Amino acid sequence: LAKTTQPISMDSYEGQEVNITCSHNNIATNDYITWYQQFPSQGPRFIIQGYKTKVTNEVASLFIPADRKSSTLSLPRVSLSDTAVYYCLVGDNYGGATNKLIFGTGTLLAVQP
Amino acid sequence: DGGITQSPKYLFRKEGQNVTLSCEQNLNHDAMYWYRQDPGQGLRLIYYSQIVNDFQKGDIAEGYSVSREKKESFPLTVTSAQKNPTAFYLCASSFGQGATYEQYFGPGTRLTVT
């Protein structure tokens, strides 16, 4: 079964670039990798999604190596409002009819002034 | 205004009582999910449904039950068999089932059982 691992926490300062990595050793070959952001007592919200190489949108970039066993979320020039927990989500190819969804352990990003 | 709603936001129950959490979406999504989140922990999948009248157990289905009689609704019942029901419960929906499809989350229901 897939196991997705993330650093428990990271600290940063305003204006810096932050990179959060998620390791997923048994990712399904046909599923995308998705990252979510969660503030306290709220539901997670979508940040970015990709299948391979690099994807960029208005808030983040996502880097995925060729073997797809990991992914790195990059947040450019973070601000205090980026303080949140970040989760990766992958599908696990465990042999069932549909892929099993596996959320990462979550990374608490604390941005300081 | 499209979205996914959960009610109530806070729920208090006595031990031994069953309680049902509501989840409604008007996004025309086929798939719906229930997750449980404990303090400082990640999301754990309880149940999911890919289509009306069909649902599958997730990682921690024991002590929970669901129904999917309508596309828009996916209520979760926390039964008295659930050993530690106090948690934050999140409902989500997506066009299809799988990590490829963006999940839209509701605001959550915080259940406290004493």
Side-chain angles (χ1 to χ4, degrees):
Chain A
L1 205 63
K3 180 176 176 172
T4 52
T5 306
Q6 302 176 230
I8 293 175
S9 63
M10 297 182 71
D11 293 322
S12 183
Y13 292 94
E14 280 191 294
Q16 288 188 333
E17 178 185 78
V18 171
N19 295 310
I20 306 173
T21 297
C22 176
S23 298
H24 23 81
N25 62 349
N26 194 39
I27 184 173
T29 55
N30 60 343
D31 247 346
Y32 278 56
I33 299 161
T34 309
W35 282 79
Y36 292 83
Q37 175 192 56
Q38 186 182 27
F39 296 111
S41 296
Q42 294 184 23
R45 64 177 189 177
F46 174 91
I47 302 174
I48 195 167
Q49 181 183 72
Y51 185 78
K52 60 181 179 180
T53 64
K54 177 184 174 182
V55 178
T56 297
N57 63 18
E58 63 275 9
V59 298
S61 293
L62 181 59
F63 299 91
I64 304 169
D67 66 7
R68 297 190 355 110
K69 291 186 183 299
S70 67
S71 59
T72 299
L73 172 72
S74 181
L75 304 172
R77 299 179 298 282
V78 294
S79 63
L80 295 176
S81 63
D82 292 318
T83 294
V85 179
Y86 293 83
Y87 293 97
C88 62
L89 172 65
V90 301
D92 172 71
N93 186 15
Y94 71 115
T98 56
N99 294 332
K100 184 181 175 76
L101 292 177
I102 308 289
F103 265 96
T105 48
T107 299
L108 172 59
L109 172 63
V111 180
Q112 301 176 38
Chain B
D1 197 17
I4 180 166
T5 58
Q6 293 183 241
S7 61
K9 191 167 178 62
Y10 299 95
L11 192 53
F12 298 89
R13 281 293 182 270
K14 293 290 186 185
E15 200 173 307
Q17 293 179 332
N18 290 354
V19 59
T20 298
L21 281 58
S22 167
C23 178
E24 303 278 333
Q25 54 96 3
N26 60 4
L27 300 167
N28 200 31
H29 286 170
D30 285 318
M32 297 188 74
Y33 313 81
W34 273 105
Y35 295 93
R36 169 183 173 138
Q37 190 171 38
D38 294 284
Q41 303 295 313
L43 287 80
R44 292 186 290 170
L45 184 63
I46 305 172
Y47 268 99
Y48 65 96
S49 168
Q50 297 182 72
I51 198 167
V52 174
N53 292 323
D54 180 68
F55 47 83
Q56 307 293 329
K57 292 182 178 180
D59 296 320
I60 55 167
E62 187 175 346
Y64 299 98
S65 66
V66 294
S67 63
R68 188 85 187 276
E69 297 176 3
K70 299 187 300 181
K71 188 174 186 177
E72 303 80 16
S73 179
F74 191 41
L76 172 75
T77 296
V78 184
T79 75
S80 56
Q82 169 50 232
K83 295 288 189 285
N84 297 296
T86 295
F88 187 49
Y89 290 88
L90 286 159
C91 179
S93 69
S94 62
F95 276 113
Q97 198 276 339
T100 298
Y101 298 93
E102 178 184 345
Q103 292 189 35
Y104 293 74
F105 284 83
T109 292
R110 191 167 298 279
L111 173 65
T112 302
V113 176
T114 58

